[in-house]
Amino acid sequence: MKTPKPESFEGQILALIPSLRRYSRSLTRSDADGEDLLQDCIEKVLSRRSQWRGLNLRGWVLTIMTNLSRNGHRQRQRAPTVELETVENVVSAEAAPDPLERSKLEEALNSLSEENRAVLMLVVIEGYTYQEVATALDIPIGTVMSRLSRARQRIGERMKADNVITLRRPK
């Protein structure tokens, strides 16, 4: 298969895939579901290419992914299923340097609302500006700033709370 030129529509989409993959995983909280969301998004983008107005491809694709995630979340609420991740005694492929720290951070991230987590991931991990996030999520820039502030505050509180160790006093 021939690789598309970087300046072509397909080439620009290919360049966005690493950041889209990270964003999809943060929205779904799962590697497998994140990959599914990424594939659905790319499929929709390519099939709706004629609807793109040529202004901000990254913002357009992020909007599509966010909407697909929201729609999928609504569908899952209507028909709950048992997730594969709930199965016990599954061997992990990777070993984290500090598994407790990683699990604390994961719990803290998962405790955030979907809206706050999306803003946090786009600004902090992906490096998008507040304006780009506001455009992609179709919300005011002030809402982006307040959601980011609340998300950072909540993460900080959760990480501090999980690290408190009570010591006994010697007699």
Side-chain angles (χ1 to χ4, degrees):
M1 183 172 208
K2 193 172 162 183
T3 305
K5 294 181 182 178
E7 64 274 359
S8 70
F9 181 81
E10 291 81 6
Q12 291 176 27
I13 296 296
L14 278 175
L16 289 175
I17 287 180
S19 65
L20 291 173
R21 178 173 283 122
R22 288 187 298 267
Y23 183 53
S24 68
R25 287 179 178 170
S26 71
L27 287 174
T28 61
R29 301 178 186 169
S30 162
D31 289 344
D33 292 341
E35 287 296 318
D36 290 343
L37 177 60
L38 175 65
Q39 289 178 10
D40 292 344
C41 178
I42 297 299
E43 179 185 1
K44 184 163 246 169
V45 165
L46 292 175
S47 68
R48 304 253 165 93
R49 178 182 179 176
S50 63
Q51 294 177 358
W52 181 54
R53 294 184 177 88
L55 298 175
N56 181 1
L57 181 62
R58 181 172 52 179
W60 184 62
V61 174
L62 286 173
T63 301
I64 290 173
M65 182 173 284
T66 302
N67 290 338
L68 283 171
S69 174
R70 288 176 181 162
N71 293 341
H73 181 68
R74 285 186 204 116
Q75 288 175 349
R76 284 187 300 279
Q77 284 182 331
R78 290 184 201 130
T81 59
V82 176
E83 296 293 326
L84 183 61
E85 287 86 23
T86 60
V87 178
E88 293 184 32
N89 302 324
V90 175
V91 179
S92 174
E94 67 177 87
D98 183 1
L100 293 177
E101 192 67 27
R102 182 178 174 152
S103 67
K104 289 176 195 173
L105 180 58
E106 190 173 337
E107 280 181 29
L109 285 170
N110 288 338
S111 73
L112 296 175
S113 69
E114 187 175 328
E115 294 83 14
N116 289 350
R117 189 176 60 257
V119 169
L120 179 75
M121 298 307 285
L122 288 172
V123 171
V124 175
I125 304 299
E126 299 302 328
Y128 294 123
T129 65
Y130 293 172
Q131 186 60 54
E132 289 172 326
V133 174
T135 302
L137 299 179
D138 195 28
I139 56 176
I141 195 166
T143 304
V144 170
M145 292 187 287
S146 64
R147 285 182 183 175
L148 180 61
S149 175
R150 284 191 299 257
R152 285 179 170 161
Q153 182 179 6
R154 175 110 174 140
I155 294 285
E157 290 169 358
R158 292 290 299 236
M159 294 302 286
K160 285 180 188 175
D162 288 342
N163 289 327
V164 174
I165 300 173
T166 325
L167 301 175
R168 291 185 309 159
R169 291 183 169 250
K171 293 185 179 182

